[in-house]
Structure formats: C-alpha cells, structure tokens
Amino acid sequence: MVLKVLLVNPPRFEGISVIREERCEITERYSILEPYSLLQTAALLRDGGHQVSLIDLNGQDLGYDALEARAREFHPDATLYRFTPTTFDWDHKAASTVKGVDKDITTVGVCWTLHTMPNQVLKEAPDLDVYVRQDYEVVAPAAVNALAGGTPLDDVAGIAYRRGEEIKVTGPPTPMKDYDSMPIPAYDLLPSLKPYYVNAPAGRPFTILYTSKGCPFKCSFCTVAGTPWKMRTAPHILEELRYLKERYGLRTASFFDETFTFNRGRVEEICRMLKEEDLKIKWYCNTRAHLVDRELLRQMREAGCRGISFGIESGSQRILDSVEKKVKVEQNRDAVLAAKAERLKVLCSFIFGLPGEDWDSVEETLQFVRDTLPTSAQFNVAVPYPGTRLHEQIYGVTGLEEPDFRKMYQHASVVGTEKMTPEDLDEARKKAYKTLYTSGRWWLSNIRHLLREPSDLYMASRFAMKITNNYVFHGMKDAH
Ligand code: SF4
C-alpha cells in the first residue's frame, strides 16, 4: 500500500529559528537552515513509492495554522516531524495539530538527542505515536513501510511506539553502510531556497549538506561520539552540487558533517573534482584540528573552501584530556593559524564547564583566543546531554537531580564544576565574548582578512551587525 506522508519542520520557537538536525538540535537566532534530514527522508520515501508532501514552517516562518491547512488539503495517513529537547512541547504541537484534523493520522517524531530516553519521550508527548530514535535514513522508511503494509512495528529496529497503554522500545538498527545510496534530497518540495542562510544572510542561495556522517572519536560531552562514520564519495557529492547549481544557482554550501576531513584521500578527491568542474560554489566545513595541515587547507581553499569550523573546546590541556578530546592545545593552535594563513575564515567553538574547569583553565582558554584571534568564536557552556559520558559522570556518580531536558541550552548552565558554579560559568562565557569583541587586535586581524578578501565584505558587514545586535541586545543567547 502507498502511504501519504506529510513531513513537517515545526515553526520557530518564540520567534527564534530552530535547527533540528541530529547532533545539532538547538535554537539558533541567526541561522535558518534547510530541514536537510527531512528532505533526505522525503526523497527516500518517494523512492519507496510513497506519496509525500513537506512543509518547512521554521524556514517559511509559518505557524501551526499553516500545518492544519496543509493537513486538511493533503489528507496524510502519517505525519513525520522532528523535535528537539528545548523546544519539546512546542514541536509536539505538530502531532496534536494533525490529530486535530484527523485522529487516525499516525504521528512519527524524529529526535537524536533524546534517543536514550524513549519511554519518557512517549510519556511526555501524548500525541506522538512512533518515536524514531536514531538512524532516520533507515528507520523512518522502515517504520513507514511497516505502517503501509500493516506489519508489526515490533519488527522495526530503532523506534519506540505505543501498544495500547504499553510503550514498546525496539532494539538498535543496522546503520546505513552505503551512504552513496542516498538519493538527492527532495529540495523540490521547498518553495525556494530563499529563506536559508547560516550565521548572516549573505551568499545566498545557500544550503547545508552532509557529505559524511557520524564520528568515531569519543569526546565525553558529545551526543554523536562513537557513532559509525559513513561517507559519500566525491562523484556522489558533486552530483548533488551540480544539481543545486543548475536548478537553484547555488552560491554557498555548508558541509554539515561532524568531521569533514576524517578521510584525507576523500577530501583531496572532492577538491580535485570541484576544481575541475569549477562550479563557483563557496563552501564551509567542520572538522577536528589534528585532521588538517597547511597543504590540505591550501587544496581546500583552491577548491572553493572559504571557512572552517574547529571544535577547540578549551585552551587547557588538562581539560582537553579530561574529556578525551585526544588533541593537543598546540595542534589546535597550529590548525587555526594555518587556516588563517590560507585565507580561510576560522570559527572556533569552546565549552566552559567541562570536568575540572576552574578560573585558571578559563584563563588558558582566553589566552588561546588572544593568541590565535579566530575570525569568530562560539563560547558555550557544557550541557550534560542524556546518553553522553559527561551525563553519566555527573548524574550517575554524584546522584545529583537531573535537570529537565527542556532547560538544556548551550548558553545557560544547568550544572557547575567542583570549582565553579553555574553562575560562574555563565560569567566566563560573557567574559570570553567580551575578550574577543573588545580586542583591537581581533578587529584589525579581521580587517586585514577583508583587505585580502574584498568579496567577503558584504558577508562581514552582515556578520558584524549580527554580533553587535546579539552582544548588545540578547546577551549572546540562542546564538552558537
Ligand atoms: S570530534 Fe567532534 S563530533 Fe567527534 S566526538 Fe568529538 S566533539 Fe563529537
């Protein structure tokens, strides 16, 4: 049987844009991203013969009334939406909205961050029928196929669902091995790419995309630590970029992978093909500092890379070791300086409040910032997400009462360290932003970059407006 499935990215939360993508399930005031995983899921379902419709309420800045109208018009058999911890109750209004149209519509919700607490999710979201906990690329189509075929949901790995009053949780799924088997995401289901950008509204048309997924490293605070790494080959990535160029005139892409440069040979091949085809797409990526060097960064720059984001976390070796980051402070420093030397913009992210944090280690982080002057930086506080080793260390051993996951923001501490209170950590975060934004050397360094890269002027001016606005009016909340 063919199922009619309505895919939904819920609306913005209290007017703030929300990113609902696996490791990144957060509110983000200054980025509006395509609901990429929903576009992938829609393409997979369509390839499986199902009839799909998609509404991106966040991207188009629409409310639940638009969802209700679409549900009345499309009459889905099932609705599939994503939700996040801090926007939990708000996102589940997607389920109650479609149930209000027809209570027989099956509701399927996808969220990675809460995958270790399926019982609580289903208990606290009464209109959610099926929770896709992980590996949505294989689990969501399997769940829809089971609903279509009337086969037992018990046979679908990676979900939790209701059977009468009971909550059933199935075992782990087999992750997708051949990531090249993914179809091009169903971009055609979006009215346009106009609303989307990252950090500052410039360089559009823009999209995010995954060229690989997962991360075998074991950083204790990270929700995707130790997940299998799967990758697309260069020709498969180029196929998507070519399509985006031809159909939408794409100018900027952000490779949303956790560790884009994990496999050096693959990155070199991507760069070689991008240079050969000269698609004129500028791109950005995230990776770990010890997985780049000057030569690789040069190749990336020549292939259109204009910015790179490193998870630096701390300027203190003691803190890096305490979370098993497996990197040296010097490696982090060298990578930032090498990327800047190759005229790449460098975004560094830091976390205050990892085990052992005290004012001395905070100062080491501030010194790292002064020494390297990254083009921009995010200063977050540690969040003990469920399922991480950090969570286990804090709540498994100390017996502290766990905070409500709805309060787990990266801009406001819910827990301190032995030497620092949550208030101290929030203070450290503010101090770090002040250190960067009031540094004359930092402004000079960025002006020097602009003199060498005048094409960045428009983006830089929008970015400067963003940080001023956020620093002055919002206390750097909901901006990562
Ligand atoms: S390297 Fe990055 S993505 Fe991988 S486990 Fe560490 S923090 Fe997470």
Side-chain angles (χ1 to χ4, degrees):
M1 177 188 160
V2 171
L3 220 63
K4 288 175 81 177
V5 184
L6 174 57
L7 295 102
V8 182
N9 189 20
R12 298 177 192 180
F13 179 62
E14 297 175 350
I16 297 169
S17 177
V18 184
I19 301 176
R20 301 179 177 96
E21 288 294 328
E22 302 299 86
R23 77 173 193 285
C24 205
E25 293 179 324
I26 54 170
T27 46
E28 168 58 71
R29 190 184 302 277
Y30 294 100
S31 295
I32 299 171
L33 305 187
E34 287 83 353
Y36 193 81
S37 52
L38 288 180
L39 299 179
Q40 287 179 309
T41 307
L44 287 162
L45 295 178
R46 206 158 53 179
D47 280 6
H50 301 292
Q51 200 183 333
V52 299
S53 177
L54 181 143
I55 186 161
D56 179 12
L57 300 166
N58 183 77
Q60 292 180 259
D61 199 10
L62 298 171
Y64 280 119
D65 50 341
L67 173 59
E68 186 181 337
R70 178 72 68 90
R72 289 194 189 285
E73 180 195 333
F74 183 62
H75 298 295
D77 302 300
T79 276
L80 186 145
Y81 63 98
R82 292 203 64 122
F83 59 95
T84 85
T86 54
T87 58
F88 188 88
D89 301 310
W90 174 246
D91 293 349
H92 287 297
K93 283 182 192 287
S96 40
T97 301
V98 296
K99 293 274 188 199
V101 173
D102 179 347
K103 64 176 178 29
D104 291 331
I105 297 173
T106 304
T107 54
V108 182
V110 184
C111 170
W112 165 253
T113 311
L114 300 177
H115 69 280
T116 55
M117 43 202 308
N119 286 293
Q120 192 176 342
V121 165
L122 281 173
K123 272 186 202 138
E124 298 190 20
D127 286 317
L128 174 63
D129 297 322
V130 181
Y131 172 27
V132 172
R133 297 157 51 213
Q134 61 191 102
D135 297 89
Y136 64 86
E137 305 96 334
V138 287
V139 176
V144 169
N145 288 340
L147 293 170
T151 53
L153 284 169
D154 259 345
D155 297 343
V156 179
I159 62 167
Y161 69 99
R162 298 173 202 283
R163 192 194 286 155
E165 295 299 301
E166 226 186 326
I167 290 174
K168 305 284 286 183
V169 181
T170 64
T174 307
M176 177 177 270
K177 284 204 173 62
D178 178 13
Y179 206 28
D180 269 358
S181 65
M182 289 294 286
I184 288 183
Y187 291 102
D188 57 290
L189 296 178
L190 297 171
S192 81
L193 295 190
K194 273 190 194 145
Y196 306 104
Y197 60 86
V198 67
N199 279 329
R204 291 185 275 189
F206 159 87
T207 190
I208 60 165
L209 66 149
Y210 294 115
T211 77
S212 68
K213 245 175 131 194
C215 183
F217 293 95
K218 301 267 172 61
C219 310
S220 66
F221 55 85
C222 178
T223 61
V224 296
T227 50
W229 188 71
K230 53 181 181 270
M231 61 135 201
R232 297 165 64 189
T233 57
H236 194 251
I237 298 159
L238 264 287
E239 189 189 332
E240 183 169 341
L241 290 172
R242 211 177 292 124
Y243 166 84
L244 286 162
K245 190 72 192 181
E246 282 163 12
R247 183 165 177 143
Y248 299 101
L250 191 80
R251 290 174 63 207
T252 313
S254 172
F255 298 151
F256 215 61
D257 321 24
E258 288 85 2
T259 42
F260 175 69
T261 60
F262 182 65
N263 180 323
R264 186 189 184 104
R266 187 189 79 110
V267 176
E268 289 179 335
E269 175 73 352
I270 295 168
C271 291
R272 192 185 57 72
M273 289 191 71
L274 278 169
K275 271 196 276 184
E276 263 171 30
E277 291 212 23
D278 193 20
L279 290 173
K280 299 199 174 9
I281 294 173
K282 292 182 179 174
W283 53 274
Y284 295 78
C285 64
N286 314 300
T287 195
R288 287 172 57 98
H290 81 287
L291 293 175
V292 295
D293 57 36
R294 189 80 188 258
E295 171 51 30
L296 186 66
L297 291 165
R298 183 172 304 131
Q299 290 181 43
M300 289 163 60
R301 161 84 205 183
E302 286 168 4
C305 181
R306 290 295 176 270
I308 189 161
S309 166
F310 295 118
I312 301 291
E313 327 308 358
S314 176
S316 160
Q317 192 62 51
R318 182 170 57 81
I319 301 297
L320 293 179
D321 293 344
S322 83
V323 294
E324 290 186 53
K325 186 74 193 180
K326 303 277 186 221
V327 76
K328 298 285 176 216
V329 173
E330 295 72 35
Q331 289 175 304
N332 279 339
R333 184 177 299 126
D334 291 350
V336 176
L337 297 178
K340 283 177 70 179
E342 287 302 327
R343 287 184 292 147
L344 299 175
K345 286 172 284 207
V346 184
L347 168 76
C348 292
S349 49
F350 300 90
I351 304 176
F352 291 119
L354 295 171
E357 188 86 272
D358 56 21
W359 282 110
D360 290 340
S361 55
V362 168
E363 181 49 38
E364 287 181 85
T365 297
L366 299 187
Q367 192 55 46
F368 182 95
V369 172
R370 290 184 204 105
D371 290 346
T372 55
L373 298 175
T375 321
S376 68
Q378 297 170 5
F379 299 100
N380 295 323
V381 290
V383 181
Y385 286 116
T388 60
R389 244 168 339 102
L390 180 65
H391 182 275
E392 180 60 24
Q393 279 165 359
I394 295 176
Y395 301 109
V397 178
T398 60
L400 276 178
E401 195 188 332
E402 290 192 33
D404 185 344
F405 55 72
R406 295 166 183 79
K407 297 203 166 67
M408 289 191 172
Y409 284 99
Q410 295 175 357
H411 64 242
S413 299
V414 289
V415 65
T417 64
E418 231 172 83
K419 301 264 178 66
M420 294 182 79
T421 64
E423 294 73 28
D424 288 338
L425 294 168
D426 293 343
E427 191 53 39
R429 182 174 176 269
K430 280 189 203 143
K431 195 171 169 191
Y433 276 115
K434 195 169 172 196
T435 300
L436 189 67
Y437 292 165
T438 60
S439 160
R441 288 174 53 246
W442 178 72
W443 284 99
L444 269 180
S445 162
N446 282 352
I447 290 168
R448 215 174 291 128
H449 169 82
L450 276 181
L451 292 175
R452 294 199 295 168
E453 277 310 309
S455 63
D456 269 349
L457 187 61
Y458 181 68
M459 185 176 279
S461 59
R462 300 301 299 252
F463 189 74
M465 277 160 62
K466 161 201 149 158
I467 60 175
T468 310
N469 183 35
N470 204 24
Y471 188 61
V472 175
F473 297 111
H474 301 294
M476 300 309 294
K477 283 188 194 152
D478 302 298
H480 302 282

